[in-house]
């Protein structure tokens, strides 16, 4: 009663042992249907014993002094309405979802039992461990992961192989094979390519080989080909001699561009015509016009020439070893003139009856050639 100093007894409400009809329906709806072969992993504890989940009241409640009794329910006690606990949340007397508990009349604050704080491991509490269903990884995601892993491994292997080939001496140049030399000897080319020996085979290319053999004037072009594991094949394209130039008592070998390739011991060393260097000094336009004409001639025709002369760039004349001559004209349309000249010389080998053999072949106008 008010003023008597007695604490009203709070009724102890037992936790429902079975869910209500509405809750039974919810439990049925919360079930998860799993397919055949599904894997389920349960983490944490699903529930705890009833002793841990039920709060202490009465004489056992914490904060109740020894020797004092818990408030008893009676007519004088205030009306306290308790509601069942909601799903997933801890329930304590006086903390239900209904009307909040009121402080008993006449009770001092020090004698009211303190509320038990929410336990961290209680179901529904923040940070608590819930039940987890672990489903198998989808096949599509598994295939994509495997594909990415295989691609990464392939990239690493290719990078390692490239590093092995490009930067290690395991695949290095140990032998050089030279092809296509006539004016030069194989030893001369091998001596020029000595710096590539011992270098990784994949690092030796056409540019490096060309720079090494460029001092050799006889080389017009060069290409390199790597033959694993340690061979470098070098193909040389040499300049073609087209004339011998008499200059200061020497016989200089020149090509169609007027480049001096070396010296000849006599005129029989190369089957090419002889040019008087005193009349046509090296490097002049007349000299270049003559060498350009000689470079356009077929090899069989070039081999029959004895000399080549010119008073100007438009008056190139050739003399054959048998005394016949060729009026060439200028250096234009060289390929067409060479073809016409070859046809005229072939026809002159079998002249018609009663017709004198041709001694002069005029191809200065190649579309209207003249023989006489």
């Amino acid at each position: 009663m008010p003023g008597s100093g007695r604490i009203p007894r709070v009724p102890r409400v037992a936790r429902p042992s079975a869910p209500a009809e509405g809750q039974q329906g919810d439990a049925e709806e919360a079930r998860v249907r799993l397919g055949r072969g599904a894997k389920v992993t349960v983490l944490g504890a699903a529930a705890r014993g009833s002793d841990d989940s039920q709060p202490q009241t009465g004489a056992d409640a914490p904060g109740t002094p020894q020797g004092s009794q818990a408030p008893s329910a009676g007519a004088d006690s205030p009306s306290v309405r308790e509601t069942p606990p909601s799903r997933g949340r801890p329930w304590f007397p006086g903390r239900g979802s209904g009307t909040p508990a009121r402080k008993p009349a006449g009770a001092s604050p020090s004698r009211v039992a303190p509320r038990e704080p929410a336990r961290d491991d209680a179901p529904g509490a923040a940070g608590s461990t819930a039940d987890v269903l672990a489903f198998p990884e989808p096949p599509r995601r598994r295939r994509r992961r495997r594909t990415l892993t295989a691609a990464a491994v392939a990239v690493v292997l290719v990078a390692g192989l490239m590093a092995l080939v490009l930067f290690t001496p395991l695949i290095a140049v140990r032998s050089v094979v030279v092809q296509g030399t006539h004016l030069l000897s194989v030893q001369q080319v091998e001596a020029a390519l000595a710096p590539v020996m011992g270098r990784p085979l994949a690092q030796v290319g056409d540019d490096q080989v060309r720079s090494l053999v460029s001092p050799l004037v006889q080389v017009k072009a060069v290409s390199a080909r790597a033959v694993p594991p340690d061979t470098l094949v070098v193909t040389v394209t040499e300049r073609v001699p087209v004339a011998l130039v008499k200059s200061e008592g020497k016989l200089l070998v020149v090509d169609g561009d007027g480049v001096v390739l070396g010296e000849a011991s006599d005129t029989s060393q190369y089957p090419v015509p002889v040019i008087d260097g005193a009349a046509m000094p090296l490097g002049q336009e007349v000299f270049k016009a003559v060498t350009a004409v000689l470079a356009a001639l077929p090899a069989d025709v070039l081999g029959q020439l004895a000399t080549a002369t010119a008073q100007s760039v438009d008056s190139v004349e050739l003399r054959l070893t048998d005394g016949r001559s060729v009026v060439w004209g200028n250096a234009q349309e060289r390929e067409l003139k060479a073809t016409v000249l070859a046809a005229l010389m072939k026809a002159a080998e079998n002249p018609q009856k009663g017709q004198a053999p041709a001694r002069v072949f005029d191809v200065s106008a190649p579309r209207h050639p003249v023989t006489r």
Side-chain angles (χ1 to χ4, degrees), residues 64-281:
T64 303
Q66 294 288 340
S68 62
Q69 297 181 354
S72 61
D76 297 337
S77 63
S79 176
V80 178
R81 184 173 61 183
E82 300 291 342
T83 59
S86 60
R87 295 179 61 190
R89 297 182 57 188
W91 176 79
F92 302 100
R95 297 180 63 183
S97 60
T99 305
R102 291 174 294 182
K103 182 178 180 181
S108 61
S110 62
R111 301 192 60 179
V112 177
R115 296 180 179 180
E116 182 178 354
R119 300 177 58 178
D120 294 339
D121 58 350
S128 63
T129 304
D131 296 343
V132 178
L133 299 179
F135 294 95
E137 186 179 11
R140 183 178 180 182
R141 182 178 298 176
R142 184 167 58 252
R143 288 194 301 268
R144 182 174 61 182
R145 177 171 52 82
R146 291 177 179 176
T147 301
L148 293 177
T149 302
V153 172
V155 170
V156 172
L157 292 178
V158 171
L161 181 61
M162 292 181 63
L164 179 66
V165 172
L166 295 177
F167 303 107
T168 62
L170 296 179
I171 305 179
V173 179
R174 292 181 175 85
S175 63
V176 176
V177 177
V178 180
Q179 300 175 347
T181 56
H182 300 284
L183 301 176
L184 294 172
S185 64
V186 175
Q187 291 75 16
Q188 288 177 297
V189 180
E190 289 178 349
L193 296 176
V196 304
M197 301 298 294
R199 298 196 59 181
L201 189 61
Q203 295 184 9
V204 181
D206 292 346
D207 294 338
Q208 185 176 5
V209 172
R210 188 180 301 112
S211 63
L212 291 175
V213 301
S214 59
L216 302 176
V217 294
Q218 295 85 351
V219 178
K220 185 175 183 179
V222 66
S223 62
R225 177 170 53 92
V227 178
D230 56 3
T231 304
L232 181 68
V233 179
V234 178
T235 303
V236 177
T237 302
E238 294 181 333
R239 297 180 180 273
V240 178
V242 297
L244 296 176
V245 179
K246 289 183 177 181
S247 177
E248 299 178 356
K250 299 179 181 179
L251 286 176
L252 303 179
V253 183
V254 296
D255 71 339
D257 297 328
V259 178
V260 178
L261 306 179
E263 296 183 8
S265 57
D266 53 44
T267 57
S268 61
Q269 185 175 353
Y270 296 96
V272 293
V274 179
I275 298 176
D276 186 2
M280 291 182 294

